[in-house]
Amino acid sequence: MIFWIWLSTFLTVSVHAVVKQACFECPEVQEITPKFPINTSEIYTFPTRAFTQFPANYACSWIINIPSNYTVIVQLKATIPEGGHVSITQVPLLNQTEKFVEDMEVTRFFVPPSFDIFWYPGSSRDGNFKFSLQFQYSVLN
């Protein structure tokens, strides 16, 4: 009886850890807001590992909030499998969306109040996605 209780506890903890790991690698929606004071030399990169496989048919989304008097330089790189895509949208002022359905590597510039990044690998686990953000002080806003 003690063995079954131990086995049940072990399996529950193991499954919980795997689920938490998957959520970290591909959050359904993650909101990023820099903390003050903003270090304009710091670069935020996702994912932090060199290569990450994302689950098939699972969308990931990031909302990046940009404080007043700041802008953001974004570098995106993706290997996009068939049926997958990456889109980036400046919101809410311009509501312009740029969508990529083929492998890409781009640098974009965004202004307050925010922008969204959306990643969908399609039905394949072969895709790869990475982005980095660098906040810049701007007197133009």
Side-chain angles (χ1 to χ4, degrees), residues 4-26:
W4 291 114
I5 293 172
W6 176 84
L7 182 61
S8 174
T9 303
F10 175 77
L11 290 176
T12 302
V13 171
S14 297
V15 169
H16 182 66
V18 170
V19 170
K20 285 186 89 171
Q21 177 72 15
C23 290
F24 174 78
E25 294 301 340
C26 189

Side-chain angles (χ1 to χ4, degrees), residues 1-126:
M1 179 71 167
I2 293 175
F3 173 76
W4 291 114
I5 293 172
W6 176 84
L7 182 61
S8 174
T9 303
F10 175 77
L11 290 176
T12 302
V13 171
S14 297
V15 169
H16 182 66
V18 170
V19 170
K20 285 186 89 171
Q21 177 72 15
C23 290
F24 174 78
E25 294 301 340
C26 189
E28 285 187 43
V29 177
Q30 179 177 345
E31 193 165 348
I32 299 170
T33 302
K35 294 183 180 181
F36 284 94
I38 296 173
N39 180 352
T40 56
S41 300
E42 187 176 348
I43 296 175
Y44 172 86
T45 301
F46 182 87
T48 54
R49 292 186 233 163
F51 180 79
T52 299
Q53 275 194 318
F54 295 94
N57 295 314
Y58 193 85
C60 307
S61 179
W62 296 264
I63 300 168
I64 295 88
N65 296 309
I66 307 170
S68 296
N69 297 325
Y70 284 86
T71 57
V72 176
I73 297 171
V74 181
Q75 294 180 324
L76 298 126
K77 183 176 184 177
T79 304
I80 304 171
E82 186 174 331
H85 68 272
V86 172
S87 62
I88 50 178
T89 304
Q90 172 74 61
V91 291
L93 300 176
L94 301 175
N95 277 335
Q96 293 180 313
T97 298
E98 190 172 9
K99 185 175 181 178
F100 303 91
V101 294
E102 296 180 355
D103 296 356
M104 51 79 94
E105 185 170 0
V106 298
T107 301
R108 295 294 185 262
F109 177 81
F110 292 97
V111 297
S114 66
F115 71 97
D116 300 340
I117 300 174
F118 181 83
W119 159 251
Y120 179 69
S123 60
S124 172
R125 293 186 63 197
D126 295 335

